[in-house]
Amino acid sequence: MSSGLDSSILTLVTFIPLAGALILAMLPRRDKEIRVFALVVSLVDFIVSLHLPAHFERAASGVFQFEVNIPWISSPNIHYHLGVDGVSMWLIVLTTFLTPLCVLISWNSIHGRVKEFFILLLVMETALLGVFVALDLFLFYFFWESTLIPMALLIGMYGHGRKIYAAVKFFLYTMIASVFMLAGILWLYAQTGTFDFVDIQRAIQSGQIAHFSTAATWLFLGFFVAFAVKVPLFPLHTWLPDAHVDAPTAGSVLLAGVLLKMGTYGMWRFNLGLFPEQSRHNAPWIVALALIGIIYGALVAMVQPNMKKVIAYSSISHLGFVVLGIFSFTQAGLDGAVFVMLAHGVSTGGLFMLAGILYERRHTYEISEFGGLATPMPVYSTFFLFIVLASVGLPLLNGFVGEFLVLSGAFQAHALYGILGATGVIWSAGYLLWMYQRVFFGKVKHDVNNALPDLSLRERTALLPAAIMALVMGVAPLLWLNSIDPAVHNSLALFTQMASKVVGQ
Amino acid sequence: MNRTDAITLLPLIVVAGTSVLAMLATAVRRSHVFTLCMTLAGLAAAFGCAWPAGARAPRQVTALLIIDDYSLFYFRLLIAAVFAIAILTYDYLRKRDLHREELYILLLIATVGAMVLVASSHFASFFLGLETLSISLYAMIAYLRRPRPVEAGIKYLVLAAGSAAFLLFGMALVYADLGTMEFARMAQLLPGTPGDALLISGMVLIITGIGFKLAVVPFHLWTPDVYEGAPAPVSAFIATVSKGAMFALLLRYFYSAGALANRHIALIFTIIAIASMIAGNLLALLQNNVKRILAYSSIAHMGYLLVAFLVGGEFAVDAVTFYLVAYFVTTLGAFGVISVMSGGDGEPEQLEDYRGLFWRQPALAGVFTVMLLSLAGIPVTAGFIGKFYIVAAGASSARWALILILVISSVIGLFYYLRLVAAMYATPDKEPAAATMPAAFIGGAVLAALTCVLLWLGVYPNPVLRMIENVFPK
């Protein structure tokens, strides 16, 4: 391994988009060149990020790799500490994979202030990547909060409908919740004198922290609330439909594809990693909320008249699976949870892109405005069907693997968890296929729809990678799982006793 | 006073001398540009003189002034702020038809007052500095000679004079009790004296005087009216230089005299801090006038600063100082946007004036967004690091109740900052009146510089933190 590149690769991957954004800010306002430049930057970042899986030592994927650890602020002691394990690595690649698609899909849909749009998109990418690479709690919080501004601006400036309302609601919900996490971080700092994740984890495991046992439940809850709003876990989900429906397509793709995963990633990394005791303790009600989320999200999705709302509520349902998998504390459940995170990013990202393409043509998401689209737009409907099937978990596509693993993990933890979770799969097949039927099958109901053009080359280019990825992830999940598995195993080592007890039953 | 004394006082002397020269030059021939250049040159020279003075610090110059690293640090901060304000003032006055040069003279005199406050080690210099600052401010606030500025000026005059009387009476009581007016001497005497009624009432009266200048609750009533009535650059001066100098004095006086050890005094400050944070943020929610919003927000920010001040401990002075630096940059930027945006006949004060600003002037809206986010304490800005420091300082001394109130009130604060930001990005209902005004180059340059400093402090605060740590060795 080339050690020079290995220590700077994470910095490179994280900050290439930001550097691109800065250069973009200085370019003249020529929309075409700006789009091309943004596409090039995001593609370069994607290619650079492929260095990670290419040089990742899978045997040692439980420990952090590509680490950088240099002092950033001397007092209080804050370090620029980056590193990835088998889980965060794939979330990074997911982010860099989706961003070029976002650029492509926004090619013509942004009118006015094109330059600022792509600047925000690239800044957003840096903030998202930072969340997944940061191993210093301060740094993590820094990036975590930094994602808010570009996302809120993307929604508020380039969205439609009640966009300002949606943006402010999104901002306030997540900001207020993360204040609790900040309190937790500061408490840990006051007791340990460090913000370093690894050091704090070690200190907690060795029981060196004073008053830890009394504060631990509060700390757990502080972190959990911040993450639960982001996921979003029922009943903290109400910001999500608003944000999604009014966001521009690229905003929705990044929101559903990556931003929500910050919450589940945080639960896994911090709630499980730092507070295993409390996680086990609080698992029953968390799992209950996750199950409610799965079923409630699916039921509400079923009755939505608006395509984007259907997809938004389906996200709540799918992310419920992730939380269920994480808090099942089984190897299969956690593997599945991480895999669902990745698969959902690809397929829901795809669904939002597809919905956005339709919106560009008709300026509406209402399902009743469509019907029979398979006739005028055959290629489009094929893509749509493919992604829908991936999303509902058809075997050989990516949704199946993750959901299967989560459910088998859930069954190991408790049969009831598994049974209730499994109904969610049925519901999701129901609402997505029903939506598909209403939009694409039958006769063309509205004359305008007869004239709708099918996908352009650019749109096909944006959708094809998502479709291919959905297939590859479904056929060869081991490519991902073999590096996810050891990382998950490592965090489960904290639960050895409990896990063996559950498995032994 | 010998030569060394003179050199250590050089920053002060240069600023005072510049004001006299500017006055003489104005008497001979009026020239706006020339006065500005003279002011800037004087300030730059004074800034440079801080180095030779620093080589001879710390030095007690007469019983009145102490020039140490602390004073010099604040000298630099104040001078830099006034430098920015002077440029903004130029931009602001350029569009107006009136005698412009005197405002610079007043600005310089007020700066002298602020610098004396920062360096004072004696009640006499404390009071002299305060009055020099206040009296110049009366005229600066009313400078435009329109009904509202004049009303604001009179209001400030009456209340400031009243509070100065309280302050003076408090000083007299403390002097009667301790027999000294020197801070250092008080520090020796205070631990020995049981907090008797005379001393406590003297202290409380002094706190009243200080509290008025800082505009903390319940001495805040003048703030919104004065901020609203004064010209935007003068509001910036009041918010930054005047309050900052007072806070520097507060730190020095109460830390060096050890007065905070008295639990009555500590209790009073705790109540003031809590009331300021809550009332400032809640009242700001009700406003539609941007300058009034900033006024109430500054009340809340003084509350945050008092939290760090109360916490004590090794972090606290660093935290307060860094927060003040961040607050200076942010507030200057926010008022700078208002003053750059104002035309010849008025300032854009109402929230409505900012609706859709982004679609008209993206750069200006961007700067204002950054400033507001910094006031709200969102990452990547100096305000976040500053607030984080205060909270960390509180956490390290386990002052959880204060921290909790700080956090809750900051969350309330988010609402009105976001309201402003949201208004700026809202799509305008009607096409904006074309060519709002040419972007002023010189004012724009100041704003760009402030934005860069703000982001730099927010991303890599280490150099500044180091500097602050060196000023206050542990």
Side-chain angles (χ1 to χ4, degrees), chain A residues 83-368:
Chain A
V84 289
D85 60 8
V87 175
S88 46
M89 176 181 75
W90 286 118
L91 288 167
I92 289 167
V93 177
L94 173 70
T95 313
T96 57
F97 170 77
L98 285 176
T99 311
L101 306 186
C102 287
V103 175
L104 273 178
I105 209 70
S106 317
W107 209 259
N108 292 330
S109 61
I110 303 301
H111 309 288
R113 302 286 168 210
V114 174
K115 181 164 130 179
E116 281 80 357
F117 177 84
F118 287 104
I119 291 176
L120 285 173
L121 200 65
L122 291 174
V123 171
M124 181 78 206
E125 187 183 3
T126 286
L128 288 170
L129 291 169
V131 168
F132 296 125
V133 295
L135 287 181
D136 182 284
L137 291 184
F138 179 88
L139 195 62
F140 174 78
Y141 185 79
F142 186 88
F143 281 122
W144 174 272
E145 294 284 60
S146 315
T147 58
L148 290 183
I149 302 157
M151 184 46 94
L153 288 178
L154 279 177
I155 298 174
M157 284 160 57
Y158 300 97
H160 23 71
R162 298 202 300 164
K163 53 187 180 178
I164 295 281
Y165 168 81
V168 171
K169 189 170 178 182
F170 160 76
F171 195 100
L172 286 177
Y173 258 68
T174 38
M175 176 84 198
I176 291 172
S178 39
V179 162
F180 295 99
M181 174 166 71
L182 179 64
I185 292 175
L186 282 169
W187 192 91
L188 286 171
Y189 172 72
Q191 300 297 323
T192 60
T194 177
F195 285 106
D196 195 275
F197 173 75
V198 182
D199 290 348
I200 290 178
Q201 196 179 31
R202 201 176 299 135
I204 289 176
Q205 279 165 17
S206 60
Q208 286 166 350
I209 301 180
H211 314 299
F212 185 72
S213 51
T214 44
T217 303
W218 294 107
L219 293 173
F220 174 86
L221 289 175
F223 279 89
F224 186 78
V225 166
F227 299 142
V229 167
K230 210 63 146 195
V231 169
L233 194 64
F234 178 89
L236 302 169
H237 63 278
T238 55
W239 62 270
L240 183 79
D242 286 318
H244 265 314
V245 170
D246 297 331
T249 303
S252 287
V253 172
L254 281 185
L255 189 63
V258 186
L259 206 115
L260 305 187
K261 275 66 175 195
M262 285 164 51
T264 43
Y265 166 76
M267 283 182 186
W268 174 71
R269 170 81 76 220
F270 297 101
N271 282 118
L272 253 65
L274 295 178
F275 316 107
E277 272 291 303
Q278 290 66 35
S279 302
R280 196 182 55 183
H281 218 74
N282 291 293
W285 62 264
I286 294 172
V287 168
L289 289 182
L291 288 169
I292 294 175
I294 293 175
I295 296 166
Y296 167 86
L299 289 179
V300 177
M302 187 136 352
V303 296
Q304 292 304 317
N306 178 313
M307 266 166 93
K308 235 180 164 183
K309 276 212 161 148
V310 175
I311 310 172
Y313 278 103
S314 87
S315 286
I316 297 175
S317 181
H318 279 122
L319 269 288
F321 275 105
V322 180
V323 177
L324 175 64
I326 292 176
F327 285 89
S328 73
F329 307 122
T330 57
Q331 183 81 31
L334 276 160
D335 280 346
V338 178
F339 202 85
V340 172
M341 277 153 77
L342 302 174
H344 175 258
V346 172
S347 49
T348 303
L351 282 178
F352 275 120
M353 287 199 276
L354 286 160
I357 288 172
L358 212 48
Y359 184 84
E360 263 179 58
R361 287 164 169 66
R362 283 292 317 277
H363 294 280
T364 178
Y365 292 117
E366 295 299 313
I367 294 173
S368 58

Side-chain angles (χ1 to χ4, degrees), chain A residues 72-76 113 116 138 141-142 145-146 149 153 157 163-164 171-172 175-176 179 182 186-187 190 195, chain B residues 315 358-359 362 378-380 384 388-389 391 400 407 411 414-415 418 422 425 427 459 461-462 465-466 469:
Chain A
W72 175 28
I73 298 174
S74 49
S75 147
R113 302 286 168 210
E116 281 80 357
F138 179 88
Y141 185 79
F142 186 88
E145 294 284 60
S146 315
I149 302 157
L153 288 178
M157 284 160 57
K163 53 187 180 178
I164 295 281
F171 195 100
L172 286 177
M175 176 84 198
I176 291 172
V179 162
L182 179 64
L186 282 169
W187 192 91
F195 285 106
Chain B
F315 259 162
F358 173 79
W359 307 97
I378 309 288
V380 199
F384 169 69
F388 180 80
Y389 256 78
V391 177
W400 295 109
V407 168
V411 168
L414 261 184
F415 284 85
L418 280 188
Y425 290 90
T427 327
V459 174
N462 220 21
L465 288 172
R466 283 274 172 75
E469 273 170 28

Side-chain angles (χ1 to χ4, degrees), chain B residues 107-129:
Chain B
L107 195 64
L108 287 166
I109 298 175
T111 311
V112 172
M115 288 167 75
V116 169
L117 262 186
V118 167
S120 62
S121 62
H122 192 282
F123 275 159
S125 47
F126 176 4
F127 191 73
L128 285 174

Side-chain angles (χ1 to χ4, degrees), chain B residues 276-300 351 412-417 419-420:
Chain B
S276 303
M277 289 190 283
I278 294 175
N281 280 320
L282 283 179
L283 291 171
L285 283 178
L286 309 174
Q287 302 300 325
N288 278 321
N289 181 310
V290 175
K291 281 170 98 180
R292 291 182 86 92
I293 291 179
L294 287 175
Y296 283 113
S297 119
S298 85
I299 295 173
L351 203 55
I412 300 173
L414 261 184
F415 284 85
Y416 58 83
Y417 295 125
R419 209 169 129 226
L420 241 174

